Amino acid sequence: MAAVAAVILLLTIAVAIFAPVLSPDDPTIGDSGRRLEGIGTEGHVLGLDGQGRDILSRLIWGTRYSLSVAVFPVLVVLPVALLIGLVAGYAKGRVGETLMRLLDVLFAFPLVLLAIALAAVLGAGLGNVMLAISISLIPYMARVAYTSTVQESSREYIEAARAGGARTPEILFKELLPNVVSPLVVYATTLCGLMVVLAAGLSFLGVGIIPPTPDWGIMTADGAGVLLEGYAHVATIPGLAILVVALSFNLLGDGVRDALDPRKQTT
């Protein structure tokens, strides 16, 4: 399943990269005389939306924006959270407590609620959405790095490194880092799936990417208005894309976890 998920994600990335080549029409220009035509319409395989825009073209271009908002914040926060977790988990004492108590302030808010609040304050737009999601992810990813660091700090190889005269930077980045980064990478991979859903949700609520940009969340919101009128394909198609990509990230995360688990490697 992880291999299948990896193939799906690679194909999704390829679609995002080659969107200008693959897109049959301009995703922002519609034909008002052909609104809401269904799947299989001549020249429009997936039909047209409420403004007569080609759904396939918008889906293809939406891949680029949806993946960017979902993956980029995770990649940016990963080294930051890793550094915070390493320092707080190894230093402990006043330094570690101060860092973790500052993060607890952000932990007081659920991730989704915090992201919505930040996006509303910063305003809609691609850059602001990425910033809002990045800030929301820091305490969660840092907590994983912190917990792993605390666990690894008590092991014998760390004591041996200290006894051998290793300095703190050497212990942090040569001894602890290789053992702490694995669970964080697994968690980050799984978070990408959640961020696909969160990014689409922000756009659906109107605090994400600005229309008429072809984003999956915007497409779903556009389709929600005509769902009960019998035009389910307008919202269902981008909704399925969100589901498949989010599920693929989760399955890939499970596969990465199994691959990095030393107990499974010995069986």
Side-chain angles (χ1 to χ4, degrees), residues 2 12 20 22 39 44 58 60 67 75 78 91 95 117 122 124 149 152 192 197 208 210 240 243 246 249:
T12 304
L22 297 174
I39 296 174
H44 304 281
R58 290 182 63 77
I60 290 173
L67 281 183
L75 294 178
L78 180 63
V95 175
L122 295 172
T149 302
E152 293 295 326
C192 286
V197 179
I210 303 173
L240 287 175
L243 173 63
F249 272 117

Side-chain angles (χ1 to χ4, degrees), residues 37-73:
E37 293 189 6
I39 296 174
T41 299
E42 184 178 356
H44 304 281
V45 179
L46 298 182
L48 301 166
D49 67 5
Q51 298 184 36
R53 297 171 298 194
D54 182 61
I55 292 178
L56 177 59
S57 299
R58 290 182 63 77
L59 191 70
I60 290 173
W61 278 96
T63 303
R64 174 174 291 188
Y65 294 103
S66 296
L67 281 183
S68 298
V69 175
V71 177
F72 185 74

